[in-house]
Amino acid sequence: MSAGLRAYAAVDLGASSGRVMVGRVSTDSLELSEAHRFVNRPVRVPEGLRWDVLALYAGVLEGLRAAGQVDSVGLDSWAVDYGLLDAGGALLGNPVHYRDARTEGVAEKVWATLPAAELYARTGLQYAPFNTLYQLVAARSSAQFAHAERLLLVPDLLSYWLTGEQGTELTNASTTQLIDPRTRDWSYEVAERVGIDLGLFAPLRQPGDPAGLLRPGVLEETGLTGPVPVTAVGSHDTASAVAAVPALGERFAYICTGTWSLAGLELAAPVLTEESRAANFTNELGLDGTVRYLRNIMGLWLLQECVRAWGDPDLGGLLREAATVPALRSVVDAGDAVFLAPGRMPERIAEACRESGQPVPRTPGEITRCILDSLALAHRRAVADAQRLADHPVDTVYVVGGGTRNALLCQLTADACGLPVVAGPTEAAALGNVLVQARAHGLVGDLADIRRLLTRTQPLTRYAPRGDTARWEAAEARLARR
């Protein structure tokens, strides 16, 4: 390996699993290995759906123990969810899961005070019922909220437990619907209009900022020798994943695949038009002054829930069976909120096909093909809409994250978009996490330098589009007639 090699631990928490990865980086090399992987299993209690944040923290500590001596630690996770702390810094209950039902009907109450169009013009954030703003409005009357002195988003909460220092990382803060993407600071007027005290939040941090040192108790539990710094990274996992898109130039779209598909563009400025709001695109903040202009799509959640309902059959066999099913026989809207909640996913997909007058998929292979065709169709719509709304043409689609392992989905996305797809890296969020830490230590340069290093060192697979896009246009028209 090259001289000057340094090791960085990336704590990467997804909605269904967590992992601690170790990146070994020099100025011209990059290797990533898995130290520890653990399940992220939410728990339904009488009050609703909650994250088991103590189990996640235990997984982080075990992962750091397995990682061995590192030069820095960075944390990223899913967005919008948070923990509340009392005046002494103690957690006031497990964080509420974004799929919990407490925000039903809350958005309409907010819009009565601050109309949806004005809220979008000020924050650029898509409508999603679980946005942090709506969660906070829903929580205001709770006993926990009444005793809260501090709010920390999930990766900031775990960072606080590791270091004893509090902060709010900007890329994740931009998903709260309380940040102005033009100023890259809090939208004080929005917060005042909806009655949210921004004093609950710790000071903003930028990716690359120091976030403290591992506490003595953490060093003892993990066996690490201090001092070990924690470095703020793009703590929204999508921000880290987009930083690891191995694109050269600007004419690219990305799809970050996993439980969700996040499909869009990297821009220099937000798109805050009414047309953009109507298309439900979001403007989240990325590295180096960039904006992640994207649409949320249900993603592989649809398949994960079906697999769970079927008793966890072999996924490889399921995908091989799906490949034999006729293409675009039945499709559903993969962005429809009807699929947000867990449970009965195969039945709900079948019902959606029946209601739209399409053939009803019945076997696991048929339902899987319906899901993959529907995701590719949603990717197509998002990429096309983003180009039009931002006036930003692209010539390549980059697929990163867990969906890169699904060759059928990658090929269908190329076919649907009519553009070449470059798939990889799979562990994009962890790599983006690692490389922001490495940059803070002077090993790599700007975002373009990060991407050149990824292109040189990571395995990538290319998929050329097959045939024309007419059949995809017909499927899209079929959905539009619903």
Side-chain angles (χ1 to χ4, degrees):
M1 294 294 290
S2 306
L5 196 68
R6 302 184 78 168
Y8 301 98
V11 177
D12 177 30
L13 304 177
S16 57
S17 68
R19 61 209 63 84
V20 177
M21 312 291 287
V22 178
R24 293 176 173 82
V25 187
S26 74
T27 55
D28 59 1
S29 67
L30 170 61
E31 293 182 356
L32 190 71
S33 60
E34 181 180 301
H36 180 53
R37 187 175 292 261
F38 48 97
V39 171
N40 182 6
R41 185 175 291 119
V43 180
R44 189 168 295 281
V45 294
E47 310 89 72
L49 193 61
R50 301 293 183 265
W51 294 106
D52 189 353
V53 72
L54 298 182
L56 290 179
Y57 184 60
V60 171
L61 294 176
E62 189 173 345
L64 293 178
R65 189 181 311 114
Q69 198 63 39
V70 292
D71 293 286
S72 171
V73 178
L75 298 95
D76 68 75
S77 85
W78 69 94
V80 305
D81 291 335
Y82 59 86
L84 296 172
L85 307 181
D86 68 13
L91 182 65
L92 293 165
N94 283 306
V96 178
H97 195 293
Y98 61 82
R99 295 188 195 274
D100 185 79
R102 69 173 175 165
T103 55
E104 290 179 2
V106 171
E108 289 76 10
K109 295 176 183 176
V110 169
W111 297 339
T113 301
L114 184 56
E118 187 177 351
L119 183 58
Y120 188 86
R122 294 183 181 279
T123 66
L125 215 67
Q126 66 180 0
Y127 165 67
F130 47 70
N131 287 347
T132 313
L133 183 151
Y134 303 132
Q135 292 198 42
L136 292 176
V137 171
R140 274 196 302 226
S141 60
S142 69
Q144 286 182 1
F145 201 83
H147 289 88
E149 296 288 334
R150 175 66 79 214
L151 181 154
L152 294 176
L153 297 167
V154 167
D156 298 322
L157 172 63
L158 297 178
S159 179
Y160 166 60
W161 283 346
L162 291 175
T163 66
E165 296 192 21
Q166 298 178 357
T168 305
E169 192 279 317
L170 180 62
T171 69
N172 210 10
S174 73
T175 71
T176 63
Q177 207 157 26
L178 292 166
I179 290 283
D180 186 330
R182 298 162 298 186
T183 64
R184 302 177 77 87
D185 197 359
W186 297 113
S187 178
Y188 293 94
E189 182 175 351
V190 166
E192 183 179 358
R193 294 267 296 273
V194 298
I196 293 172
D197 178 11
L198 290 175
L200 274 173
F201 290 86
L204 288 172
R205 289 172 174 156
Q206 303 283 338
D209 284 352
L213 300 172
L214 294 184
R215 295 184 295 106
V218 172
L219 293 174
E220 182 178 357
E221 188 155 357
T222 58
L224 301 177
T225 301
V228 177
V230 174
T231 303
V233 298
S235 72
H236 182 197
D237 53 8
T238 308
S240 281
V242 171
V245 169
L248 302 177
E250 299 179 353
R251 292 174 60 92
F252 70 92
Y254 56 80
I255 306 172
C256 301
T257 58
T259 299
W260 292 87
S261 281
L262 299 313
L265 309 173
E266 184 175 77
L267 302 177
V271 180
L272 302 175
T273 62
E274 176 60 17
E275 190 179 11
S276 178
R277 182 186 76 86
N280 214 29
F281 271 79
T282 200
N283 294 268
E284 298 169 357
L285 301 183
L287 266 65
D288 296 355
T290 59
V291 173
R292 292 175 285 124
Y293 184 62
L294 59 89
R295 175 183 286 159
N296 276 37
I297 299 162
M298 286 296 164
L300 289 169
W301 160 256
L302 299 173
L303 184 55
Q304 290 165 358
E305 276 293 282
C306 287
V307 167
R308 186 171 67 85
W310 294 327
D312 295 313
D314 173 61
L315 185 58
L318 203 55
L319 294 175
R320 286 190 294 274
E321 184 183 347
T324 68
V325 175
L328 296 168
R329 181 172 176 267
S330 303
V331 290
V332 298
D333 181 359
D336 194 330
V338 71
F339 300 118
L340 180 63
R344 294 185 59 255
M345 192 62 74
E347 292 85 352
R348 287 152 64 195
I349 289 171
E351 287 165 10
C353 293
R354 185 180 300 108
E355 289 172 2
S356 58
Q358 301 178 89
V360 177
R362 302 191 184 280
T363 69
E366 290 174 348
I367 292 172
T368 298
R369 184 56 185 255
C370 174
I371 290 170
L372 297 182
D373 282 346
S374 300
L375 286 177
L377 190 62
H379 294 165
R380 165 193 163 85
R381 287 198 304 270
V383 169
D385 288 348
Q387 292 179 81
R388 173 177 54 83
L389 293 166
D391 190 21
H392 186 100
V394 307
D395 51 32
T396 307
V397 177
Y398 287 82
V399 174
V400 300
T404 60
R405 299 189 185 98
N406 191 322
L408 180 55
L409 177 59
C410 292
Q411 183 62 64
L412 291 173
T413 297
D415 297 345
C417 293
L419 292 168
V421 162
V422 177
T426 300
E427 296 288 354
L431 284 165
N433 180 322
V434 161
L435 288 169
V436 168
Q437 295 181 69
R439 184 168 75 167
H441 289 86
L443 284 183
V444 293
D446 60 12
L447 193 51
D449 193 28
I450 285 174
R451 288 175 169 153
R452 282 190 290 268
L453 180 59
L454 287 160
T455 302
R456 292 196 306 269
T457 60
Q458 300 305 299
L460 305 174
T461 304
R462 299 177 183 273
Y463 298 85
R466 303 171 303 188
D468 62 37
T469 58
R471 58 182 183 155
W472 295 94
E473 292 167 9
E476 199 163 0
R478 209 188 313 157
L479 275 187
R481 290 196 299 269
R482 283 198 316 157

